[in-house]
Amino acid sequence: MKQFHAFRLDTVNHCLWRGEERVSLAPKAFDVLRYLVEHADRLVTQEEMLNALWPETYVNPEVIKKYVLGIRKALGDPRDKPEFIETFPRRGYQFVAPVSEVISGAAAGCGINAARKMVGREGAMAELDDYLGQAMNSQRQVVFITGEAGIGKTTLLDAFHQAVAHRPNLRVIRGQCVEGFGGKEAYYPVLEAIGQWVREASGGQVAQTLAKQAPTWLIQFPSLIKAEQREALQKEIHGATRERMVREFCEALETLTAQDPLVLVLEDLHWVDPSTLDFLSAVARRRGPAKLLLLGTYRPADLILSKSPLKALKQDLVLHNLSHELNLERLEEPDVEEYLEIHFAGGEFPEGFANLIYRHSGGNALFLVNILLDMVKRGLVARVDGSWKLNVALEDVEPRVPETLDQLIEAQFQQLSAEEQRILRGASVAGERFSVWAISPAAEVEPEIIEDACERLAERLQFIKAAGINVLANGQISAHYDFRHSLYREVLYRRLSEAARAKLHLQLAQRLQAFCDPCEQEQSTELAQHFEGGHDYEQAIHYLILSAKNAAGRFAYRDSIEILRHALELVPLAGGAKRVEMEIQALVQIGDTNYASGNMDDSAHAYEDAAARAAQAGLGAAQVTALIRLVHPMGLIDVDRAVAVVEQADRVSASLDEPMLQARTEMLAACARLYYHTWRSEDAELYSSARQSVERLSGGQFPEMHYAHLHPLQGNYQEALKIAEDGILKISGTTNTVAYLLALGAKTVALMHLGRLGEALQVMRSAILKAEKNGNDPWVLKIREAWLRTVAMDFAGAQQLCETMIRSNSGYPTGQPRAIAWIAGGNAALLQANCKEALENFRQVIDEDVTPKFFLHWYWRMHARLGVVNALVASGKLGEARGEADSLLEDALASADPSLQALAWKVNAKLGIAEKNWEGAEKSIRSGLALLEKFEIPMAAWRLDSTAWDLYRQTKNEKTAEFHRKRAETCVLKIANSFAPEEPLRATFLAAAPVRRIFIEKAAGKVPRQQKLIRGAAS
């Protein structure tokens, strides 16, 4: 620790101290001071400082001047006669004060001195020291420090901070919750504390740990990430959840505190946001070792008024011995006497003076200090001949002391000049910390005058204190100040009339809005708060919607929805034509957020409300947009309603003069009928026509990820793969988990149809691991894996996976996993020659009373019908099989799916062989083979060639039989080799009887008829 005159520079905890008082400096201003102090023996040029502190960023040299000005103010260093920093015009700066290293003992002494000057809190300091000792032994500690406003919570923390600053490698980081709905950003105080940590000299280790263990947190600090790293992080964290964010930071904290202790201070938790509460709960409940002391402060009265869930959380943690509570009581009369002895050393006060101060302050520390400061300023208490004395009779003091702290603050305010009052009124609207730049319109004076006035107030210890020079989000450089206590701001804010308050809020909002166009979203919470305070509710709603997007970007979906619901509360207060449109926008975003987090019922309700509100207002385009969005969750809830919704949207869009919207709606309506009802060529043609219109009207762009599943049904597997991959790239920049999983699902479907089972399996496994890491249910990918296992003939694995999904009660639809489980079970039964059980399984899928409609239900029922024909053939019921086979073939040919058609021809050929209808069987084979010439359908091709091999063996055409056996073998090997050599599923596929026989049986081989039929049926 460096010391110069009365100041100490704590480079470990990034603090500047003057005696027991912590001096506020912006992070970069601190870096400038540290660099100057560390090179105090020489001149430091501006260029050197810029290269050292901003090595990869262009910064205007004027910034250095501003930071040096802020440092001078913090140190009280006059420019004309500098004691600390001397300016060499056009050359640079030199730190001229003598600098010395403070040894640990001296630092400890300073800490003890700080604690000594704070009265009545010796017990509290001892308790905190004990909790720190336990934390140093890797026993994490969570402590809530409670007490009324002004009782001394922050003073206690400051004293404790100073007292422990000397401990080797110990760090103290601090964050503070902020008042006001618009200010409730997700994880706000935690991010503030981490931001302080990573900006310190050794913050590189923190950033590296976050990159490795908590990328969801690292990405919240764009300045720490290069463009290419950010893109990789976006992919890594896509689909993350609130649970993952909390878990990752807890794990990172445990790593960072494994060796070096950390004190994390979170102040004013009565204004805490829900996501920070989740973090607090998780930190307290984890059992792993951590040298962590988490200190949180709150006011019990404000906690009750705000109905914060912190109360229930704290009670639960205390009940289970997971946290401690340190309640600060009011000071007693002996404490007041001690305070007078310390701060008015040698004072000659009459008997009863301490009692008078005690009675009027009620033992409230802030009131006590301010009563005495007020007495000094009014001359009631003054130094006379070197000693502090009361200048009036004790009985004359009583009427002059305000009865409440509010009255005292009011009296002090009235003593200020009109200019100072105007500045503080504007500052009270800006918040507990404010910039000169922001309040200059409200104060109606030039920024330089405001800054001078603020400096005078800070020097007189009145109302505010300097908080350094900071670069604003819009690039402006401005001096910042803090209210000395939140009560000062609250009293000044309350005394403003409603009209004056609204005017100042609006001025401040317009000031911020005019200069923050590039950083609009970053400033959205503050803008929303001020526009709401200024009664410009339309703008407030606009920025609340932006703020909700920020929360969703932090995977804080609950916070996002809470903000949007607040926006809806403001809608009745908003005027103007946009009011209804903004209400609909907020409802749609609530639907989007619920859909992204997998909450389908609430998503559907929000979209329904948006559509109804749009219809009521006669906003046809907005109604159609809401209905289109409603189709997505409804397709997972009730497919018939999904079709009814999209057809309603189609009817409404037809009445509008919006060609693009109409084309998109027609396309979705046709697609929905194809997905949820059955395949009809009319709908396929309508889809194709509408798609061409969309591409023409959009300049060739086709962004609709929803249609990627349609192309495989027409044999367009390569196109489906391209749409899916393009969609994944697009969606990976969002937080829409469901859409991302559906896009991956579409990709795996395309890969499976192309016979690239191994590649599809790798995509699934990677995405499933990522989803589970994020706390998401990768249900759609598990469905795809179950089907992949079925086509690879791992029927037991497919059934087990489906049964796990069905039992999970995840809320996602179970139609597909049930169908796949029955199809896999039917095929497994066929291999065991259990035709009765096989038929029962396949018919469960076909029966709509047993298996209601679901996404592409007709497609899965078609596969079950293939199984029925195979089972009937295997059981010798050829007449019944013929009826089923003819009906199946008719329906398959009515679809556009070449794979289904090829398989339908294949079972017809198999049935023809069993009937000894060689001509009919060969006709079926030739029809199937014709499809192989047009489409790449390897999953059907090997089965068709295998059946052709059977046919030509039976008809003694050995050469043609061997030709088809070799083709089947080539196709099978290509499929098998798409798996990694060590992949168990590869071995399972090659060991399955229908596959194995291709390799071990020759055209001339003789196989008993019944066994041949059974094996052939399963293939």
Side-chain angles (χ1 to χ4, degrees):
M1 189 179 295
K2 309 282 187 181
Q3 181 163 344
F4 38 90
H5 294 327
F7 294 93
R8 298 187 319 284
L9 192 70
D10 181 355
T11 55
V12 174
N13 290 295
H14 223 63
C15 305
L16 177 66
W17 297 92
R18 179 174 50 223
E20 73 273 15
E21 180 186 4
R22 184 180 179 183
V23 180
S24 182
L25 273 182
K28 279 299 180 186
F30 182 91
D31 290 339
V32 170
L33 175 59
R34 186 189 66 226
Y35 196 82
L36 289 171
V37 170
E38 289 173 349
H39 300 84
D41 57 332
R42 62 178 177 81
L43 173 74
V44 176
T45 65
Q46 286 189 359
E47 183 178 3
E48 177 186 343
M49 221 169 333
L50 289 170
N51 290 334
L53 302 179
W54 290 273
E56 297 181 1
T57 307
Y58 171 75
V59 177
N60 192 315
E62 290 297 313
V63 169
I64 297 290
K65 292 182 181 179
K66 284 285 186 179
Y67 284 136
V68 170
L69 177 62
I71 295 168
R72 288 189 192 282
K73 289 178 178 179
L75 299 176
D77 191 29
R79 185 172 180 177
D80 54 344
K81 294 182 180 179
E83 295 182 49
F84 298 98
I85 300 174
E86 186 171 348
T87 301
F88 292 83
R90 299 184 181 181
R91 295 175 62 195
Y93 306 91
Q94 182 171 352
F95 196 84
V96 295
V99 178
S100 59
E101 285 286 343
V102 180
I103 60 173
S104 296
C110 293
I112 294 167
N113 188 49
R116 188 182 297 126
K117 290 188 177 181
M118 180 183 59
V119 300
R121 300 294 181 233
E122 295 81 4
M125 284 288 284
E127 284 191 58
L128 289 179
D129 191 63
D130 180 61
Y131 293 134
L132 178 60
Q134 294 180 59
M136 299 278 279
N137 288 324
S138 299
Q139 300 173 27
R140 70 181 67 213
Q141 301 293 310
V142 176
V143 182
F144 294 102
I145 302 172
T146 71
E148 66 184 53
I151 203 68
K153 299 183 291 296
T154 299
T155 301
L156 174 67
L157 286 173
D158 286 344
F160 181 68
H161 186 167
Q162 186 180 2
V164 302
H166 69 284
R167 302 205 182 191
N169 300 322
L170 182 144
R171 293 191 178 280
V172 181
I173 57 174
R174 300 172 73 157
Q176 185 172 17
C177 303
V178 290
E179 185 183 13
F181 191 93
K184 285 195 175 180
E185 290 188 35
Y187 304 107
Y188 182 85
V190 184
L191 288 168
E192 183 183 24
I194 300 172
Q196 171 193 336
W197 199 3
V198 298
R199 283 189 294 265
E200 293 179 9
S202 60
Q205 180 193 357
V206 180
Q208 289 171 12
T209 303
L210 293 180
K212 184 177 180 181
Q213 293 187 260
T216 53
W217 288 81
L218 180 62
I219 206 163
Q220 308 302 326
F221 302 95
S223 62
L224 300 176
I225 309 167
K226 295 179 180 178
E228 59 273 18
Q229 185 186 9
R230 183 174 183 83
E231 185 177 341
L233 279 175
Q234 287 283 13
K235 292 179 181 179
E236 160 66 16
I237 69 171
H238 187 273
T241 57
R242 172 176 55 86
E243 291 80 6
R244 176 179 172 181
M245 276 202 77
V246 171
R247 184 186 69 248
E248 281 191 348
F249 188 52
C250 287
E251 291 172 353
L253 271 182
E254 288 167 3
T255 297
L256 289 164
T257 59
Q259 299 297 325
D260 297 336
L262 175 71
V263 179
L264 171 58
V265 178
L266 302 177
E267 296 190 69
D268 294 332
L269 289 175
H270 42 273
W271 292 322
V272 71
D273 62 273
S275 294
T276 298
L277 269 185
D278 292 335
F279 164 72
L280 285 171
S281 177
V283 167
R285 297 180 197 280
R286 288 177 70 89
R287 291 288 185 264
K291 295 183 178 181
L292 172 67
L293 172 59
L294 193 156
L295 303 175
T297 71
Y298 69 86
R299 306 178 200 162
D302 290 83
L303 200 66
I304 295 169
L305 289 173
S306 65
K307 299 180 181 179
S308 171
L310 173 63
K311 180 180 179 181
L313 172 63
K314 188 267 298 182
Q315 289 174 340
D316 183 64
L317 294 178
V318 171
L319 179 66
H320 291 90
N321 295 317
L322 298 174
S323 73
H324 310 279
E325 185 173 12
L326 183 56
N327 184 32
L328 298 188
E329 301 290 349
R330 292 190 171 202
L331 300 175
E332 299 293 339
E333 186 173 342
D335 300 322
V336 177
E337 292 175 351
E338 183 182 359
Y339 184 87
L340 290 172
E341 290 174 4
I342 294 172
H343 292 273
F344 296 87
E348 299 175 7
F349 297 114
E351 186 177 350
F353 180 65
N355 178 264
L356 180 148
I357 301 299
Y358 170 68
R359 283 187 292 105
H360 278 275
S361 67
N364 181 284
L366 183 65
F367 198 4
L368 158 71
V369 171
N370 276 275
I371 286 174
L372 289 167
L373 285 174
D374 186 64
M375 286 183 170
V376 172
K377 285 169 186 167
R378 290 195 289 154
L380 300 178
V381 172
R383 278 188 180 275
V384 178
D385 298 329
S387 297
W388 289 101
K389 293 182 180 179
L390 184 64
N391 285 339
V392 295
L394 189 62
E395 56 270 20
D396 292 334
V397 174
E398 190 115 14
R400 304 188 192 190
V401 179
E403 294 182 1
T404 66
L405 182 56
D406 284 16
Q407 290 177 357
L408 175 59
I409 293 172
E410 174 69 24
Q412 291 175 343
F413 184 74
Q414 293 301 331
Q415 295 169 15
L416 302 178
S417 69
E419 182 180 86
E420 290 170 333
Q421 290 183 15
R422 193 161 56 247
I423 290 169
L424 288 177
R425 278 195 292 267
S428 73
V429 172
E432 289 192 34
R433 172 167 291 192
F434 61 93
S435 70
V436 168
W437 175 86
I439 68 167
S440 56
E444 300 176 351
V445 290
E446 293 299 316
E448 292 77 10
I449 297 174
I450 296 175
E451 195 167 340
D452 289 341
C454 288
E455 283 301 310
R456 290 194 299 271
L457 288 168
E459 287 170 3
R460 300 199 304 261
L461 305 181
Q462 289 184 292
F463 291 92
I464 61 175
K465 58 185 177 181
I469 303 291
N470 284 280
V471 179
L472 303 175
N474 60 18
Q476 296 279 336
I477 300 171
S478 178
H480 283 62
Y481 296 87
D482 289 335
F483 279 93
R484 300 190 70 83
H485 195 282
S486 59
L487 277 176
Y488 291 129
R489 191 199 71 81
E490 291 170 21
V491 169
L492 297 184
Y493 185 76
R494 285 198 303 266
R495 73 186 299 278
L496 292 170
S497 68
E498 180 60 30
R501 196 181 297 169
K503 178 183 176 183
L504 290 170
H505 270 299
L506 191 58
Q507 285 179 333
L508 185 54
Q510 291 169 342
R511 171 74 161 166
L512 289 170
Q513 186 184 45
F515 287 91
C516 77
D517 184 47
C519 53
E520 184 183 54
Q521 191 158 340
E522 183 181 339
Q523 299 291 107
S524 58
T525 52
E526 189 175 356
L527 283 160
Q529 184 176 358
H530 290 308
F531 273 119
E532 182 178 348
H535 299 172
D536 187 339
Y537 298 110
E538 186 176 304
Q539 290 282 6
I541 294 168
H542 168 73
Y543 286 110
L544 283 170
I545 290 172
L546 278 180
S547 181
K549 288 181 179 177
N550 286 342
R554 292 175 185 166
F555 316 104
Y557 299 119
R558 181 179 51 184
D559 305 55
S560 179
I561 291 170
E562 184 178 317
I563 293 168
L564 290 166
R565 296 211 177 280
H566 181 64
L568 290 175
E569 291 171 1
L570 299 184
V571 166
L573 303 175
K578 292 185 177 180
R579 184 178 72 176
V580 176
E581 293 177 15
M582 299 185 84
E583 178 183 6
I584 295 167
Q585 185 182 357
L587 285 168
V588 166
Q589 194 163 320
I590 289 173
D592 291 347
T593 305
N594 277 307
Y595 184 78
S597 59
N599 193 341
M600 297 303 154
D601 287 332
D602 287 348
S603 174
H605 290 321
Y607 292 139
E608 286 172 330
D609 290 345
R613 189 71 185 93
Q616 184 183 17
L619 299 174
Q623 181 187 4
V624 171
T625 299
L627 289 171
I628 286 174
R629 276 182 152 86
L630 176 57
V631 173
H632 299 294
M634 199 56 71
L636 299 172
I637 299 171
D638 184 336
V639 296
D640 285 329
R641 282 189 65 194
V643 173
V645 165
V646 75
E647 289 181 340
Q648 179 189 357
D650 196 16
R651 290 191 298 273
V652 175
S653 70
S655 66
L656 305 174
D657 186 21
E658 296 198 24
M660 171 61 92
L661 183 62
Q662 185 174 351
R664 285 186 64 229
T665 310
E666 286 178 353
M667 188 168 63
L668 180 60
C671 195
R673 289 189 289 269
L674 293 170
Y675 281 159
Y676 302 129
H677 279 178
T678 191
W679 186 273
R680 296 193 319 158
S681 59
E682 306 96 289
D683 284 324
E685 290 168 5
L686 182 58
Y687 163 78
S688 179
S689 174
R691 181 186 172 184
Q692 288 174 10
S693 297
V694 169
E695 291 178 328
R696 173 174 50 80
L697 292 168
S698 64
Q701 296 183 358
F702 183 67
E704 309 294 347
M705 186 62 240
H706 191 65
Y707 309 107
H709 288 274
L710 192 62
H711 293 275
L713 301 176
Q714 299 170 297
N716 299 326
Y717 307 124
Q718 293 291 354
E719 186 174 2
L721 184 60
K722 183 179 185 305
I723 290 174
E725 288 177 337
D726 290 347
I728 290 166
L729 287 174
K730 179 182 176 183
I731 296 167
S732 63
T734 73
T735 59
N736 194 327
T737 303
V738 176
Y740 183 67
L741 291 175
L742 288 172
L744 284 170
K747 178 177 180 178
T748 59
V749 167
L751 289 170
M752 287 166 61
H753 277 291
L754 290 167
R756 294 153 64 177
L757 300 189
E759 189 176 341
L761 184 64
Q762 287 304 313
V763 171
M764 292 173 195
R765 283 178 174 167
S766 175
I768 287 170
L769 283 173
K770 180 178 175 182
E772 290 175 342
K773 178 181 178 182
N774 288 334
N776 295 318
D777 183 354
W779 57 279
V780 70
L781 294 168
K782 289 180 179 178
I783 288 172
R784 298 292 175 263
E785 183 182 345
W787 186 240
L788 185 148
R789 288 185 176 277
T790 302
V791 299
M793 285 177 277
D794 176 18
F795 302 126
Q799 286 179 288
Q800 183 179 357
L801 195 56
C802 290
E803 287 165 5
T804 301
M805 283 187 280
I806 293 165
R807 291 196 304 265
S808 69
N809 296 319
S810 64
Y812 289 107
T814 58
Q816 285 188 60
R818 288 184 188 279
I820 293 171
W822 278 318
I823 291 171
N827 282 310
L830 270 181
L831 286 179
Q832 299 299 319
N834 191 340
C835 298
K836 181 181 178 182
E837 182 182 336
L839 282 169
E840 288 175 355
N841 276 278
F842 293 134
R843 283 172 173 159
Q844 295 275 53
V845 179
I846 297 168
D847 189 341
E848 290 194 12
D849 290 332
V850 176
T851 306
K853 292 178 182 177
F854 55 89
F855 179 75
L856 287 178
H857 64 97
W858 61 267
Y859 175 85
W860 301 104
R861 296 190 211 278
M862 202 88 80
H863 277 278
R865 290 168 67 187
L866 288 166
V868 166
V869 176
N870 282 326
L872 289 172
V873 170
S875 61
K877 299 177 180 179
L878 303 184
E880 188 178 349
R882 173 50 62 195
E884 293 282 356
D886 290 344
S887 173
L888 169 64
L889 181 60
E890 182 181 355
D891 290 343
L893 293 177
S895 78
D897 188 337
S899 183
L900 274 179
Q901 292 173 3
L903 291 172
W905 285 118
K906 177 259 180 196
V907 295
N908 265 271
K910 181 60 64 179
L911 176 56
I913 294 170
E915 295 170 328
K916 299 189 183 305
N917 179 1
W918 311 118
E919 184 179 347
E922 186 169 17
K923 181 180 177 182
S924 294
I925 288 293
R926 290 186 182 281
S927 296
L929 292 175
L931 289 168
L932 301 189
E933 299 298 320
K934 297 178 182 178
F935 299 95
E936 183 185 359
I937 45 175
M939 300 311 299
W942 78 267
R943 293 176 181 274
L944 190 64
D945 274 315
S946 177
T947 303
W949 171 41
D950 287 337
L951 170 64
Y952 291 115
R953 280 196 305 167
Q954 293 286 340
T955 58
K956 308 302 181 182
N957 189 342
E958 301 295 346
K959 183 177 179 181
T960 304
E962 181 61 13
F963 169 78
H964 285 288
R965 188 197 68 79
K966 285 183 177 179
R967 283 219 322 183
E969 179 183 291
T970 301
C971 192
V972 163
L973 287 174
K974 184 176 180 181
I975 294 168
N977 290 334
S978 71
F979 292 107
E982 67 279 4
E983 169 57 47
L985 205 52
R986 181 182 189 274
T988 300
F989 176 59
L990 290 173
V995 175
R996 189 175 67 247
R997 76 186 190 98
I998 295 172
F999 296 92
I1000 65 175
E1001 293 184 20
K1002 301 301 180 183
K1006 301 295 183 181
V1007 182
R1009 181 177 180 277
Q1010 184 68 16
Q1011 183 182 352
K1012 185 182 347 177
L1013 287 173
I1014 291 171
R1015 289 181 177 180
S1019 66

